[in-house]
Amino acid sequence: MQILTKVSGKSKDYLPLLDMINQGVQVKSDSVEKHLANEKLVTFLEQDIEHTGLEKILFHYKQNKEKKIPFLPVDKLISEDEIDDIMQVLKEVLNSGRFTSGPYIPRFEKALAEYLGKKYVIATSSGTDALMISLISAGVHPGDEVILPANSFAATENAVLAIGAVPVYADIDPDTYCLAPSEIEKHITDKTVCILPVHLYGKQADMEAISAIAKQHGLKIIEDGCQAIGSSGLGAFGDGLVLSFNPYKNLGVCGKAGAIATNDEALAEKCMEISYHGFEVGKKNVKRSDYGFNSKIDNLQAAIGLERMKYLSLQNFKRFYLAKRYIDQLQTLEDEGTIKLPKLTDDHVWHLFPIRVIKGDRDELAEQLLELGIETDVYYPILSHQHQTNLVSQKYKQTTLPHTEKAAQQLLHLPLYPGMPLQDQEKVIEGVHHVIKSSFQ
Ligand SMILES: *Cc1c(COP(=O)(O)O)cnc(C)c1O
């Protein structure tokens, strides 16, 4: 067993932390890195876990009275404790009248910078805006090509399109569902300016290899980390890292928000300008960039972000715990070759839990689970190069991405959110075993 002497609160610690807890080894709360994001993790570790039981402490939810097991119940993505914390700070912000610009923005940016180990953070009005701003600031111009995967949320490609650049889709690694480094080089032309890997479902792409390719060809890297906050080493290789804080993400506000993190001073300054009308930093109404957006985060949302950040490491630990239970308890199905499970790696924060249906039909499994009252979902049902749009029919008819396309037909996502009752998860696991045994074998 690995004994942690220092707990960062990020993904690589979760397995050793769980082992220690299970073996009754006391994890000293002062061994946890001092950070806002770890506040509730510390509170958890200070409890008598051995006596009370880890599951009792982490998952004390009211019994789900309804029969149905929802995929992502929006009213359960925020806890009553969080609401109480937010109500207090809301009162202060409302009284101050400072709803857009205000003091909570630099505080939230500083907390994020410390958490990510980055020099600069620019908090924005959404992850989508953060992508657009960072691409422009990294020097992507209209007509330039950006290499990205085709299996992300539409925001990734839309950010490229919105700034007039050209998305070029490269295939994925079939084990991680993230951009495959070996596929990137095939698509590099003299118009390529930037690589835009997506850390899909909370798992990081192979950034070491991607960064080697970028260096070799003189390309920029903007990382779409919208699903991956809390993953150890996140953003270590890119020029800029983009995050989203919409309420469905691992760290959410109560509305829309996002951020860009970077160590590059010039890039940071440009992002600040582009995120607010092109104005020179620190000057009112004086433009330095040709243009800019109205895309800073609201003071109100920054204040909420700070409150919710206290829960981040603990929430991510809960996600890990649920993911591990899925993996352990569905393992026999993988051994039989009916499904493929994601790997429990050090760089995963389990934004979503994907399984791959190898034997049998994915849609059939989803349908039969639904008959048992279990909701599942597919992320994302239509690939970027297969939408029914004018753009796709004009420019992407020839695009073929075998691994991406195969995965898109086989992937099914099971419910996973920090507040998921364990009884619900047990029903999902039983349901998957039952349907596969009775219909797929
Ligand atoms: C959510 C998400 C975005 C967009 O973030 P918003 O804050 O919703 O604009 C971009 N990329 C990925 C991969 C996402 O999951």
Side-chain angles (χ1 to χ4, degrees), residues 268-273 278-284 286 288:
E269 202 165 295
K270 190 79 182 162
C271 287
M272 284 184 239
E273 286 174 21
F279 294 155
E280 191 173 338
V281 179
K283 293 219 172 132
K284 216 173 155 184
V286 181
R288 193 166 79 170

Side-chain angles (χ1 to χ4, degrees), residues 126-128 131 152-153 155-156 198 224 226-227 244-246 249 257 380:
S126 72
T128 310
L131 281 168
S152 183
F153 179 53
T156 314
V198 179
D224 184 338
C226 289
Q227 301 183 355
S244 165
F245 308 120
N246 86 31
K249 299 297 157 76
Y380 294 90

Side-chain angles (χ1 to χ4, degrees), residues 125-373:
S125 50
S126 72
T128 310
D129 286 9
L131 281 168
M132 285 162 46
I133 293 161
S134 57
L135 288 166
I136 293 169
S137 303
V140 179
H141 292 102
D144 289 347
E145 291 177 0
V146 177
I147 297 175
L148 70 167
N151 60 345
S152 183
F153 179 53
T156 314
E157 84 215 37
N158 282 344
V160 176
L161 290 162
I163 67 164
V166 180
V168 175
Y169 301 110
D171 212 352
I172 54 164
D173 175 335
D175 291 325
T176 66
Y177 312 121
C178 295
L179 205 54
S182 58
E183 295 292 322
I184 293 172
E185 270 181 313
K186 297 180 190 166
H187 298 280
I188 296 176
T189 70
D190 53 9
K191 286 190 176 164
T192 311
V193 171
C194 186
I195 306 172
L196 176 52
V198 179
H199 304 311
L200 201 67
Y201 312 145
K203 162 88 181 86
Q204 285 187 57
D206 182 353
M207 289 309 299
E208 204 169 338
I210 291 174
S211 123
I213 295 165
K215 273 213 179 85
Q216 197 188 331
H217 296 270
L219 306 174
K220 296 280 187 190
I221 300 175
I222 298 296
E223 296 178 57
D224 184 338
C226 289
Q227 301 183 355
I229 191 165
S231 176
S232 298
L234 183 68
F237 291 93
D239 295 280
L241 168 72
V242 169
L243 300 170
S244 165
F245 308 120
N246 86 31
Y248 306 105
K249 299 297 157 76
N250 290 35
L251 171 59
V253 295
C254 299
K256 293 174 194 165
I260 304 151
T262 181
N263 283 333
D264 180 335
E265 190 181 354
L267 180 67
E269 202 165 295
K270 190 79 182 162
C271 287
M272 284 184 239
E273 286 174 21
I274 302 292
S275 70
Y276 197 59
H277 294 295
F279 294 155
E280 191 173 338
V281 179
K283 293 219 172 132
K284 216 173 155 184
N285 297 323
V286 181
K287 276 171 86 168
R288 193 166 79 170
S289 288
D290 292 346
Y291 69 96
F293 305 125
N294 179 16
S295 295
K296 281 295 291 181
I297 191 174
D298 286 338
N299 189 44
L300 195 68
Q301 295 300 345
I304 293 170
L306 279 163
E307 290 305 318
R308 299 196 76 180
M309 195 171 192
K310 296 174 187 167
Y311 295 80
L312 176 59
S313 297
L314 183 62
Q315 304 275 54
N316 274 346
F317 182 67
K318 289 187 197 178
R319 287 178 182 274
F320 156 82
Y321 193 83
L322 291 163
K324 186 173 183 303
R325 271 173 57 109
Y326 270 138
I327 291 172
D328 289 345
Q329 296 186 38
L330 294 173
Q331 192 59 51
T332 51
L333 297 177
E334 178 167 79
D335 296 342
E336 291 161 12
T338 39
I339 64 169
K340 189 161 125 34
L341 294 163
K343 295 269 176 302
L344 205 71
T345 54
D346 277 356
D347 62 347
H348 210 320
V349 285
W350 304 101
H351 175 62
L352 290 165
F353 190 87
I355 65 168
R356 232 174 131 149
V357 184
I358 306 288
K359 267 191 218 153
D361 184 62
R362 183 265 317 269
D363 295 335
E364 175 76 30
L365 175 59
E367 213 165 283
Q368 291 204 31
L369 286 172
L370 193 59
E371 276 167 26
L372 299 173

